Amino acid sequence: MAVMGTPSQNEHALIAANALHLHPFGSFANAELIEHVFGFSIVKGWAIFERLDEPVGSAFVAVRFWWNALADGTWIDFTPRPDHLPVVLLAEAATHYPKVKSKLSNLEADLAAYMAQKMFGDPDSVVPVSMSHHRVPAPKQELVRANREANEACAEMRCLEAQVASLRHRLFSLVPDASNRWDPGRPIDGIDLGSMVRVCGLSDCPDLNGQDVIIVGFDTQRSKWRARLCTGEIRVFSGVNLEVLDAAKINPELSTFGCEILCSIPCGKRRIHCNLWPLVHSGIIRSRVPDRLLAKLNILFDALHDDHNSPSHGLFLVGEVKDGKQLTVRHPDEEYVALLLACAEQLGHSIFGSDSSMMHYNLDQVWTVHQHSGDYNPMHFHTNARSEFGFSSFLHVKLPPQLQTSQQMKRDAMGQEQRDGVTSFMWRTDTGIVAERLECSGVLDCELAEGFLYVFP
């Protein structure tokens, strides 16, 4: 990237001596002509202009632009520019970018003529009549149309994902004794659904040896276990290649003398793997939402976001959401509700033991938070309208690509973990940040990953 001025007098004389005709809006042809005549290599990239109709330094426009480089690598731009644009900011493209030739539409032709008038005519000229009524709003309308088409394409992709997941589910259900159809009370080789195991003894895929995986099912047709890797991929393994690290428990009870507990809970016709974390007189349960259900929720919430009549839930929340939305879900998915109540019931049993038999679990309300860059949730409490105490939950349905688990492993210049987008449970507030003492700071960070449902008091 560099700020380029106009050619020197000697360079202008060089152009005049060779009677070269350069066009103000023909940087591509100009650069090719200079390369053909003088042998100066072509540099492909962008000319960057600032929008003067926006606050200073807030908005810029990049235009495809070619220029040349001398033998020593010095950039030189021979494309004519108006007197009121003595310098231009040029940025070389990081990778090759093809330019497809196409015929200008009426809008593009008018826009090009308007830019030519502004740059090489009177810079204070007004908008032409042909553009003032129809052409100026058109780019904004095009942007709205493009966003709408992108949303429709994403919604269609989510529908296809749901169909694929549904077909896969039906395919497994047609196979006798497939996946989760064994008796969970009779583990095979000491392994059961939800157990954490370590892969060992593989000769065909030695890179998987030593990895810790979670058992998600059993395929009796091949007599192999289905396990989820840390990447989310599902692979199958023989029992002889799995070493049990922590067996899943049925209806476990939490204790402050223990740490994380693996368990599995019944939900409809299947069992769901869960993690339980004990706190002081409390606990948290986390379960992975099935892929098919996650795809259904994405479709439901995308439609809710696009519906301008969707009721806002922002009056009941403390989140600083300016560009996004906080919406009430009036009709939550039944399968999701069943999983949510199953997790709440398991957490209640784990905390209260036999005393939980007198408790009843009902859904109070569901809402979505569609956050954009700059939106955030401060530290807050969750309450409900049906009881003096109860459980709440949250689920990352969709995360942007810049928020991922690897981000939590990075540290800034001060040695602190990068916490953008991270949801944390603050279960102890009587101590500050603990750096060098062997003491829990009372903060439990949630993994930046889609599909994990957290239920907590």
Side-chain angles (χ1 to χ4, degrees), residues 73-149:
T74 303
W75 288 357
I76 184 170
D77 174 32
F78 286 100
T79 296
R81 294 198 300 270
D83 295 336
H84 63 277
L85 288 178
V87 295
V88 63
L89 179 62
L90 300 180
E92 184 178 4
T95 57
H96 175 67
Y97 69 115
K99 181 180 185 302
V100 180
K101 293 184 178 181
S102 60
K103 183 178 180 180
L104 293 179
S105 64
N106 292 335
L107 170 62
E108 293 168 337
D110 285 349
L111 181 59
Y114 178 55
M115 290 180 62
Q117 176 66 23
K118 280 290 186 181
M119 296 180 65
F120 295 93
D122 181 5
D124 296 325
S125 61
V126 298
V127 179
V129 175
S130 62
M131 294 182 63
S132 60
H133 296 295
H134 305 286
R135 302 307 182 191
V136 173
K140 187 173 182 180
Q141 295 172 1
E142 284 291 310
L143 180 61
V144 172
R145 180 190 60 79
N147 285 333
R148 184 178 64 253
E149 292 180 352

Side-chain angles (χ1 to χ4, degrees), residues 52 136 146 156 169 176 192 197 214 237 250 262 295 321 332 344 360 398 427-428:
L52 300 181
V136 173
E156 183 178 359
H169 177 74
D192 199 359
V197 298
I214 300 295
F237 302 94
I250 305 298
L262 301 180
V321 179
H360 301 279
K398 182 163 51 178
W427 62 274
R428 181 179 178 186

Side-chain angles (χ1 to χ4, degrees), residues 6-18 20 38 40 70 76 78:
T6 56
S8 64
Q9 292 183 353
N10 293 335
E11 292 165 345
H12 275 302
L14 190 65
I15 299 298
N18 289 271
L20 300 182
F38 301 111
F40 299 158
L70 302 179
I76 184 170
F78 286 100

Side-chain angles (χ1 to χ4, degrees), residues 307-368:
D307 185 358
H308 297 291
N309 296 321
S310 297
S312 173
H313 207 79
L315 294 177
F316 310 100
L317 306 175
V318 298
E320 295 291 338
V321 179
K322 297 180 180 179
D323 296 329
K325 295 181 179 180
Q326 300 176 105
L327 304 174
T328 303
V329 182
R330 291 176 173 173
H331 306 290
D333 182 84
E334 293 182 358
E335 185 179 357
Y336 170 70
V337 174
L339 173 59
L340 184 60
L341 295 179
C343 289
E345 186 172 355
Q346 176 62 68
L347 181 58
H349 172 81
S350 300
I351 296 175
F352 300 105
S354 58
D355 293 338
S356 65
S357 59
M358 301 299 294
M359 297 180 180
H360 301 279
Y361 301 89
N362 299 291
L363 182 64
D364 185 10
Q365 53 187 340
V366 178
W367 67 90
T368 62

